[in-house]
Amino acid sequence: LAPVCRSATASIFRTSVRPRQLVAAQYRKTAGRLQFIPANTMASWCPTGLGDGSHVDKKRKTGLTMGTHSGTFQCDEALGIWLLRRLPKWSGATLVRSRNPEVLAPLDIVIDVGGTYDPQALRFDHHQRGFFETFDGEKGVATKAEEATGKFKTKLSACGLVYKHFGREILQSLYPALQGPRLEAVYVKLYKDMVEGLDAIDNGIEVASEPRYREGTGLSARIGRMNSRWNGPDEDSAMEDKRFEAASQLAGQEFMEQVSYLVECWLPARDLVEAALLKRHQVDPSGELLLFESGGMPWKQHLYELEREHSVDPLVKFVFYQDQAKMWRIQAVTAEGTDFTNRLSLPAPWRGVRDDELSKVAGIEGCCFCHMAGFIGGNKTLEGALAMGRAALKSA
């Protein structure tokens, strides 16, 4: 079996095959054609043990070798290995799972074991004393979160290390058209939305100082349950490696669902938000009202980032879009990093008032409603919604 190649990936995304199917399957060449191999046939390969707990996948011989630890596996190395296999250089490398330094030493790349972080030597462990590397921090500077030099303060695990050093290349192998700022936007967003949480969990970092509940359906928990059970039947190294391969595929499925959403849904919205931002003064001379051509798209994070990128001042206060019922909405922009604190709310006298009564209070025809929290309202026409926005600006 050979991993999905770039051309096969591009072809699949033009068909009805879903991302989950894509990463849960591979292809083999039969009579000159690529044949689809469902996921449930992929665990048929049988690794060979080395007699010391080390395991070698003899089905993946291309001359290069990659390594991670044997025994109980976690999400970070399961995803890290899957990520490396997206790259042509490592797609067919022989995988060795071992904790024996003599077995690991000659391997071409090693993650999550070995006690060394050395990108030049392709050694990516995070367990050693003194290690505190972050996604965007300066190497070797921090010893704790407060000392991290970048925006991100979470200590990296194996998947974070692989993603930090190879993430852009991996994303381009999956979506070759990603370039420049668009690639960088997806690269950072994917770390923030997925990989950082996996780093934190593997390093034992709580999401809050006093968690109010435990959430057991996340990827790390699901992969943890794929290990053999303490009270189950004894399993040999071949079965242990089959479990690891299944876990790696599951991690890859999750990654592909995340990245396909970002590239195919989230990123196109960024283009529309930027276009609207650049035309904001055509909507209103203040530059504080933003008109979207399409409603229902994810826009908030794009707006914050694009405002910084374009040095926008003053910041946008309200956005406008048409909903599915053809009502024109006016929505307040929240302060970055908050969910409910508006940069500017709709006027207090409007809140909780509807229809003709709201039109009378606001002095604007066609008003439909204003939410009690003052973060959103509606009007029958675009002109009416814009008038609500202008009136809100004047009331500030």
Side-chain angles (χ1 to χ4, degrees):
L1 298 181
V4 179
C5 63
R6 180 180 300 184
S7 60
T9 304
S11 174
I12 288 167
F13 279 119
R14 291 193 295 268
T15 71
S16 60
V17 178
R18 299 169 60 193
R20 179 179 295 275
Q21 294 172 295
L22 170 65
V23 298
Q26 294 185 341
Y27 294 78
R28 66 184 174 204
K29 227 172 189 180
T30 303
R33 301 177 62 187
L34 285 174
Q35 180 180 353
F36 187 78
I37 308 298
N40 59 10
T41 67
M42 291 187 57
S44 61
W45 63 274
C46 182
T48 300
L50 299 179
D52 63 351
S54 306
H55 318 147
V56 178
D57 168 12
K58 286 196 171 181
K59 297 284 187 175
R60 295 180 180 272
K61 285 192 173 180
T62 61
L64 294 175
T65 52
M66 62 170 63
T68 190
H69 62 80
S70 54
T72 301
F73 50 79
Q74 292 82 35
C75 182
D76 68 323
E77 80 270 14
L79 178 58
I81 291 297
W82 186 91
L83 289 173
L84 288 173
R85 285 173 171 168
R86 298 316 99 195
L87 298 175
K89 178 176 180 178
W90 303 108
S91 63
T94 299
L95 175 63
V96 178
R97 300 182 66 237
S98 177
R99 296 183 184 273
N100 186 336
E102 295 182 358
V103 173
L104 297 171
L107 302 183
D108 294 299
I109 188 169
V110 177
I111 71 169
D112 209 37
V113 68
T116 300
Y117 171 49
D118 184 348
Q120 284 67 45
L122 298 180
R123 292 302 187 261
F124 300 98
D125 197 11
H126 65 108
H127 297 97
Q128 57 274 22
R129 187 178 182 87
F131 176 92
F132 200 98
E133 302 297 331
T134 57
F135 182 61
D136 58 350
E138 186 179 351
K139 184 177 183 295
V141 172
T143 60
K144 54 186 177 180
E146 294 75 14
E147 298 174 356
T149 57
K151 175 183 177 182
F152 295 94
K153 310 299 181 183
T154 302
K155 179 181 174 181
L156 297 175
S157 69
C159 60
L161 285 168
V162 170
Y163 188 76
K164 175 175 181 172
H165 290 280
F166 302 99
R168 295 180 182 88
E169 187 180 354
I170 290 165
L171 291 172
Q172 287 187 302
S173 75
L174 297 170
Y175 287 89
L178 274 181
Q179 302 287 338
R182 295 166 64 82
L183 170 62
E184 197 65 18
V186 173
Y187 173 65
V188 174
K189 178 70 169 173
L190 188 55
Y191 180 76
K192 182 178 181 180
D193 286 1
M194 179 184 181
V195 183
E196 184 178 19
L198 303 180
D199 285 340
I201 291 170
D202 193 79
N203 283 305
I205 303 170
E206 297 284 6
V207 70
S209 57
E210 295 183 7
R212 297 182 64 180
Y213 62 89
R214 295 290 177 184
E215 202 286 311
T217 64
L219 180 61
S220 295
R222 301 203 313 273
I223 284 182
R225 290 192 291 269
M226 296 176 75
N227 282 283
S228 59
R229 299 179 178 180
W230 68 270
N231 58 349
D234 291 338
E235 295 182 352
D236 59 16
S237 61
M239 181 54 67
E240 181 184 304
D241 282 3
K242 286 182 179 180
R243 287 182 178 274
F244 175 82
E245 288 295 330
S248 186
Q249 287 295 317
L250 176 60
Q253 291 174 11
E254 187 79 16
F255 184 89
M256 276 305 302
E257 288 177 358
Q258 295 267 358
V259 74
S260 68
Y261 169 80
L262 291 179
V263 175
E264 299 171 24
C265 179
W266 179 82
L267 194 57
R270 180 184 176 89
D271 296 335
L272 295 179
V273 174
E274 184 170 32
L277 187 65
L278 296 177
K279 295 190 296 184
R280 68 191 184 281
H281 288 101
Q282 299 176 26
V283 177
D284 187 78
S286 69
E288 298 177 77
L289 307 181
L290 203 66
L291 175 61
F292 291 143
E293 296 179 5
S294 177
M297 64 181 178
W299 58 267
K300 288 186 179 180
Q301 190 60 41
H302 292 313
L303 179 59
Y304 301 142
E305 293 172 357
L306 288 166
E307 284 177 328
R308 284 192 293 271
E309 184 177 319
H310 291 282
S311 301
V312 171
D313 184 28
L315 298 177
V316 175
K317 303 304 188 297
F318 296 101
V319 301
F320 301 83
Y321 55 88
Q322 194 172 36
D323 66 16
Q324 293 180 332
K326 304 303 181 182
M327 181 193 302
W328 281 97
R329 298 293 188 102
I330 172 175
Q331 184 171 342
V333 179
T334 55
E336 187 171 6
T338 72
D339 290 325
F340 306 108
T341 302
N342 300 324
R343 289 175 174 175
L344 177 64
S345 297
L346 293 170
W350 301 2
R351 300 174 196 174
V353 185
R354 302 187 62 88
D355 303 323
D356 291 342
E357 184 180 356
L358 177 56
S359 293
K360 182 178 180 180
V361 171
I364 300 169
E365 293 185 1
C367 291
C368 299
F369 80 99
C370 179
H371 194 277
M372 278 292 297
F375 80 96
I376 195 168
N379 195 285
K380 295 177 182 178
T381 67
L382 172 59
E383 292 74 16
L386 290 173
M388 293 174 72
R390 295 185 182 109
L393 292 178
K394 291 180 180 179
S395 70

